[in-house]
Amino acid sequence: MSASPSPPSLPSSKVAGIKPSLSSVPQNPVSQTPVPPSARPADGAARPGGVQDRLASWISDLTTLHSLTERLARTRTLADALHETLRAGAGLVGARRGLVSLRPVDGLGPERLAGLGLGRADLGHIETVPRGFHTVLGGDGETAEVVHRDIAREDRLHPRHREVAARLGFAASYAVPLTAETPGPLGAAVWLYDKPGQPDRRQRHLLALYLRQAGQHIANRLELARARSAFTAVHEGLLPPRLPRVPGVTLAVRHSTGPRGGGDFYDALALPDHALGLAVGGTTGTGPAALAAMGRLRAGLRAYAVMEGEDPVAVLSDLELLLRLTEPGRPATALFGYAEPAARRLVVASAGHPPPLVVGPSRAEFAETALSAPLNMLACWEAPSVELDIAEGETVLLYSDGLLHRTGEPLDRAFGRLRDAALAAGPGVRADPELLVDHLLRTVRPDRPGPDAPHAGAADDTVLLAARFGG
């Protein structure tokens, strides 16, 4: 069981010299006791300073809520929004640990269990509690708060509930629903106390005000997460579902989609006479339009590769004509190679794309491909092809410019960083394409992006395709 972090703290801001009343919340609060009539002034008048104290308390509460909602608004992912909601809620109700059960009522998911001060094993124990406890977590659309002030003494609870509480060391819990205008109920949040107790009425009120904002923010992050997931699924569906098996060559590939959704692609297809076509490329722009253009570009390239793959220049020339007709004004880069594994021969043509990197037991060198403009940039694209002689056991790496941007360096130094990473790979890594691509992706990531990098900090699409020739 992982160690629990220290209790979350609330902002310690001041308004007009007034210290916020929530700056120190007891870990296990109990309900406030009303002032008895005998303690009030005999004439029924308000105590001296009572109005000012209440006003100071209201200002403090508003300041605290404002600070917490500002912090919540800065979260950009669903996971961060859930964690921040738990952290802020724990401070408001005086708890140390908590969890969120995300189960959107529309059934579109994702369903998720996130914890604060709880490790994966702890959450696993909680998930073993029978249905009664899951109702508290919003599994059945619970719409009211649920208080368990002293779990060990509540006979109506399932024995497993009490067993898990004793194992994890919590004695009380307070659960509330999470909801938004759209899509409606999202699940629930529950905070756990180390000792018997419950939040008082003022703490519950502040939490309810906070969760009005948090619920809608979580719903917004949820919709964004769904959109990104759908976009990634479509993107992956437009790429090869698997790499072909061709005698004399071993393939490996890694592909990741940036948060903005770019149009990078790769392809590897078996051709007649035991030949192999290899391609990488990408369209400009991001989002659905770039994705659609990428799909058309890759489909066209596959067709031209089957018809005239032995001439990479003809393949790219036809591809540019297709691009002009279907995507006027949208440039694209592409590199196509026609490989004959038995002869260890590779003919490559490039349209504005970075050159291949040849990695072997004794070298790591960039192929000298001809400089050329991207497709759809000039009146007519034209560039010669280059024939590469690959030695036994050498690997040819094709990649997108996103891999270079990943280094955080200007392009001239990014090429050097990629070559150095290949040279740093051990003999066993160089002999295995799967290990090699993983090594390169780990190694080119910078500790700190350079300030002169044109794309420092950018998260572009990344493609890395490796083809090792020989046995």
Side-chain angles (χ1 to χ4, degrees), residues 140-441:
D140 295 329
E142 183 69 49
T143 58
E145 63 180 18
V146 178
V147 181
H148 293 300
R149 179 180 174 84
D150 191 347
I151 292 175
R153 297 179 179 274
E154 293 188 27
D155 295 334
R156 292 180 298 175
L157 290 178
H158 192 282
R160 180 59 180 166
H161 190 157
R162 292 195 295 271
E163 178 185 343
V164 169
R167 178 189 291 267
L168 301 186
F170 64 89
S173 64
Y174 177 63
V176 291
L178 283 177
T179 188
E181 292 184 5
T182 303
L186 300 171
V190 57
W191 285 272
L192 309 175
Y193 299 97
D194 295 344
K195 298 179 181 179
Q198 66 185 45
D200 60 36
R201 180 164 52 181
R202 172 168 163 266
Q203 290 171 324
R204 295 183 188 187
H205 176 65
L206 287 175
L207 179 64
L209 293 176
Y210 175 76
L211 291 182
R212 289 180 189 175
Q213 301 296 323
Q216 193 57 53
H217 183 75
I218 290 172
N220 294 341
R221 298 301 99 186
L222 176 65
E223 287 301 314
L224 184 59
R226 288 174 175 176
R228 285 176 175 169
S229 177
F231 188 93
T232 300
V234 172
H235 198 166
E236 295 296 331
L238 292 174
L239 296 175
R242 64 185 64 86
L243 296 175
R245 293 180 178 272
V246 177
V249 66
T250 306
L251 301 174
V253 69
R254 297 293 183 270
H255 172 258
S256 63
T257 304
R260 292 174 296 179
D264 287 0
F265 70 93
Y266 69 90
D267 210 342
L269 63 158
L271 297 175
D273 300 324
H274 304 291
L276 176 69
L278 299 171
V280 291
T283 61
T284 58
T286 58
L291 186 61
M294 180 272 281
R296 288 189 286 268
L297 190 68
R298 176 177 170 263
L301 186 146
R302 288 179 68 89
Y304 300 139
V306 171
M307 292 187 294
E308 47 194 5
E310 68 279 0
D311 185 355
V313 172
V315 171
L316 295 187
S317 296
D318 291 344
L319 194 61
E320 187 194 37
L321 179 59
L322 174 68
L323 197 65
R324 287 184 179 279
L325 295 175
T326 60
E327 298 290 335
R330 184 187 293 275
T333 66
L335 183 147
F336 179 74
Y338 178 80
E340 296 175 294
R344 294 194 301 277
R345 175 175 173 268
L346 179 64
V347 181
V348 174
S350 173
H353 207 82
L357 178 63
V358 182
V359 179
S362 59
R363 68 164 175 162
E365 299 175 358
F366 289 103
E368 295 185 2
T369 56
L371 294 176
S372 63
L375 302 175
N376 220 3
M377 284 284 288
L378 302 178
C380 180
W381 175 85
E382 185 176 355
S385 60
V386 176
E387 181 174 331
L388 307 179
D389 291 322
I390 312 300
E392 176 79 17
E394 289 190 326
T395 299
V396 178
L397 295 169
L398 309 181
Y399 50 92
S400 66
D401 56 4
L403 180 66
L404 301 174
H405 297 160
R406 187 185 181 117
T407 67
E409 303 278 4
L411 286 181
D412 57 342
R413 292 205 293 265
F415 282 110
R417 191 180 184 103
L418 177 59
R419 180 176 178 272
D420 291 344
L423 288 172
V429 173
R430 295 194 198 189
D432 188 331
E434 295 285 349
L435 296 179
L436 182 59
V437 293
D438 287 337
H439 165 78
L440 293 175
L441 290 175

